[in-house]
Amino acid sequence: MNGMNKGFILGLIAGAAAGLAVFAVAPRRPDDDRAKPFQNRYFAHRGLYSRDGSVPENSIASFTAAVNAGYGIELDIQLSKDEEIVVFHDEGLKRMCGIDGPVYNYTLEELKSFKLLDSDESIPTLSEVLSIVDGRVPIIIEFKGGKRNRLLCEKAMEYLREYDRAHAGPEKGSRLYCVESFDFRIVFWFRRHAPDLYRGQLANAYEWYDDKFSRFLRICSAYCIFNFVGRPHFIAYGLGGKKTWTVKLAELLGAKKVCWTSHDPEDKNDNDSVIFEFYKPPTTW
């Protein structure tokens, strides 16, 4: 093989590799109306909760405080044993409720009997939080991945469609909520079943993930190499971790940039939305 032929073949290989990378990580560019409610806005992480725990995270009190202050809110949802949607971050109840065992082992009635950090607050349902927000501020909803992904998505959309009818459905303009998940299968579900809904892929640096993630899943998430499945409109990337070149490529190709969890007002720089905690920035910039 002469030098010219070798160079041609190497060029083809390099071009194919570049094309494959673009295909794998390319986002779905959102239209302006879809992204507008989330653009240049601060979102209170799990509500406007306090560092000392007197106002617990993901509580009615934290969401009420955030809405009254005019902040968007970010929250986490998962299913109870009896298939009700509760707003709670951890898989296990130990940190927030002092109870051994995962959320999915308990019914809604049982979960409601547990108190958050020894406060008077209990675990809220998605329906309760939507009633509090009442269309006043935008919401970022994180779907916690698990064995019942499809059921969680289906049941959540029932509540969200009802919320649309009461507030900012497609016929009234931009929706005031969006969805995100670390699990690209959940992002794909919304691409397929609610394609007009603003959706995002959560990600962070490889080193951030704990042992419950396999090496394969850590790589997939850190590099967003399954964007071709979910085609997210935005990537919500953890602060403190160095962005991979594939995430930067996705942003270059049009993915909106969301950062979490901010402790500094300057994190708004070079981001489209900021999820924050433990300080009180302006609501927008």
Side-chain angles (χ1 to χ4, degrees):
M1 183 184 295
N2 61 42
M4 183 176 295
N5 288 338
K6 184 177 180 180
F8 177 73
I9 291 172
L10 290 175
L12 285 178
I13 293 173
L20 182 61
V22 169
F23 172 78
V25 305
R28 179 65 47 82
R29 287 176 177 265
D31 56 67
D32 291 340
D33 285 343
R34 195 176 319 193
K36 185 177 179 180
F38 308 91
Q39 192 74 15
N40 298 340
R41 191 170 191 118
Y42 284 97
F43 291 80
H45 185 232
R46 307 176 195 171
L48 201 62
Y49 73 102
S50 60
R51 192 187 294 270
D52 65 6
S54 57
V55 178
E57 66 182 58
N58 277 329
S59 66
I60 294 297
S62 71
F63 296 130
T64 300
V67 172
N68 288 342
Y71 296 120
I73 62 172
E74 182 269 352
L75 56 84
D76 314 273
I77 62 171
Q78 53 186 300
L79 288 172
S80 66
K81 182 178 180 179
D82 51 347
E83 300 179 355
E84 297 293 337
I85 300 179
V86 294
V87 178
F88 196 80
H89 177 268
D90 299 357
E91 180 180 288
L93 292 156
K94 189 69 174 179
R95 180 177 67 90
M96 291 300 298
C97 300
I99 303 295
D100 289 323
V103 171
Y104 57 75
N105 273 1
Y106 297 88
T107 66
L108 177 60
E109 183 179 2
E110 290 169 329
L111 292 171
K112 281 291 190 181
S113 71
F114 306 148
K115 297 303 181 183
L116 298 171
L117 298 179
D118 295 322
S119 70
D120 292 330
E121 297 287 319
S122 59
I123 298 172
T125 63
L126 176 60
S127 178
E128 289 170 338
V129 176
L130 292 177
S131 294
I132 289 168
V133 178
D134 196 27
R136 290 182 287 170
V137 297
I139 313 169
I140 298 175
I141 305 172
E142 179 183 343
F143 284 65
K144 310 304 284 188
K147 295 181 179 179
R148 297 182 290 174
N149 283 354
R150 185 174 69 177
L151 182 60
L152 176 62
C153 293
E154 289 173 348
K155 291 184 75 70
M157 276 310 303
E158 291 176 10
Y159 286 108
L160 294 173
R161 289 189 182 105
E162 181 63 32
Y163 193 69
D164 276 342
R165 287 189 283 271
H167 301 292
E171 73 283 357
K172 299 179 183 178
S174 300
R175 281 190 167 112
L176 291 177
Y177 59 86
C178 69
V179 299
E180 65 176 12
S181 183
F182 280 102
D183 193 324
F184 67 86
R185 296 169 297 180
I186 289 176
V187 183
F188 171 70
W189 191 94
F190 283 97
R191 177 190 179 188
R192 181 178 179 185
H193 295 281
D196 57 334
L197 182 57
Y198 195 49
R199 61 184 182 270
Q201 179 65 54
L202 276 159
N204 207 341
Y206 178 89
E207 297 78 13
W208 176 83
Y209 297 92
D210 59 30
D211 292 339
K212 74 178 181 180
F213 289 86
S214 68
R215 184 176 182 183
F216 173 74
L217 288 177
R218 294 183 196 191
I219 292 172
C220 291
S221 185
Y223 287 86
C224 290
I225 59 176
F226 277 100
N227 277 3
F228 73 93
V229 176
R231 291 294 183 221
H233 300 108
F234 66 90
I235 296 176
Y237 204 86
L239 288 166
K242 185 177 180 181
K243 288 183 179 178
T244 57
W245 68 270
T246 49
V247 170
K248 292 179 180 179
L249 176 60
E251 293 174 346
L252 184 65
L253 293 170
K256 293 292 186 179
K257 293 180 281 187
V258 179
C259 70
W260 57 274
T261 302
S262 168
H263 298 102
D264 184 342
E266 294 306 309
D267 289 329
K268 72 179 186 298
N269 298 335
D270 200 38
N271 282 292
D272 296 290
S273 307
V274 172
I275 299 171
F276 75 96
E277 63 184 10
F278 305 147
Y279 69 95
K280 293 185 178 180
T283 57
T284 60
W285 69 89

